[in-house]
């Protein structure tokens, strides 16, 4: 699994943990080990600009996911790859640590825990999950909670 991470946020972040939780989520979801993912951590100004440009939102958001080509995602060995075994470019996850820190304070957990949650959330969006409808939200958030729980249990061993 090729995961690139760049921290351009100006905030100190444990990028190894962000990489580890992303890798865990992709592994648990059965994504092709040749898949490629990019994670970018940005400041509030840049996240505000991205949110406005791509989502039509006002102000910064916590996470954005930009799938490369949803039709080319190889979800595992049970699915034939149209690209003949070439690595799938999953896309980009953009995180804003400053927004994550504010949300963490409200939620009563650490900024690191919030970034881990947002990373898994972004991975699931790249894999085609959404939460626009109540049923989709239950499925996505339930899966997100299970992935985070299993990742935390592997870290505490």
């Amino acid at each position: 699994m090729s995961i690139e991470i760049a921290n351009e946020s100006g905030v100190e972040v444990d990028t190894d943990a962000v990489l580890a939780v992303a890798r865990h989520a992709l592994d648990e979801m059965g994504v092709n080990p040749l898949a490629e993912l990019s994670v970018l951590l940005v400041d509030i100004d840049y996240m505000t600009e991205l949110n406005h440009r791509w989502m039509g939102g006002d102000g910064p958001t916590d996470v954005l996911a930009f799938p490369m080509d949803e039709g080319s995602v190889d979800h595992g060995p049970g699915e034939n790859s149209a690209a003949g075994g070439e690595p799938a470019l999953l896309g980009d996850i953009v995180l804003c640590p400053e927004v994550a820190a504010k949300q963490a304070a409200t939620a009563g957990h650490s900024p690191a825990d919030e970034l881990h949650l947002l990373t898994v959330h972004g991975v699931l969006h790249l894999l085609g999950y959404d939460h626009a409808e109540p049923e989709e939200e239950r499925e996505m958030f339930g899966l997100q909670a299970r992935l985070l729980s299993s990742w935390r249990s592997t870290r505490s061993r």
Side-chain angles (χ1 to χ4, degrees):
M1 193 80 54
S2 173
I3 304 174
E4 290 186 24
I5 189 164
N7 185 356
E8 298 175 5
S9 69
V11 176
E12 191 170 319
V13 171
D14 181 352
T15 54
D16 289 342
V18 171
L19 286 173
V21 73
R23 182 167 279 115
H24 176 80
L26 293 167
D27 287 346
E28 290 294 309
M29 294 302 294
V31 173
N32 183 328
L34 298 177
E36 297 177 9
L37 170 69
S38 171
V39 179
L40 178 62
L41 296 107
V42 299
D43 64 19
I44 283 184
D45 290 341
Y46 191 58
M47 185 58 105
T48 300
E49 180 183 326
L50 290 174
N51 190 32
H52 178 71
R53 184 183 326 151
W54 297 106
M55 305 303 291
D58 289 326
T61 190
D62 49 6
V63 59
L64 291 170
F66 297 100
M68 283 304 198
D69 180 9
E70 293 180 35
S72 73
V73 174
D74 182 354
H75 290 282
E79 185 178 296
N80 291 330
S81 173
E86 291 295 312
L89 295 173
L90 293 178
D92 302 317
I93 297 171
V94 183
L95 302 167
C96 185
E98 291 168 277
V99 173
K102 290 176 187 172
Q103 290 177 178
T106 302
H109 55 240
S110 74
D113 284 344
E114 186 72 10
L115 278 175
H116 303 155
L117 180 151
L118 295 172
T119 300
V120 170
H121 190 86
V123 165
L124 291 175
H125 273 307
L126 291 180
L127 296 178
Y129 289 87
D130 201 358
H131 47 84
E133 300 296 326
E135 188 174 313
E136 293 174 332
E137 183 176 335
R138 277 191 298 279
E139 179 185 14
M140 183 176 179
F141 284 55
L143 185 53
Q144 179 178 290
R146 286 192 300 281
L147 290 168
L148 282 167
S149 177
S150 66
W151 180 68
R152 288 181 184 128
S153 71
T154 62
R155 290 185 55 149
S156 62
R157 289 183 197 158

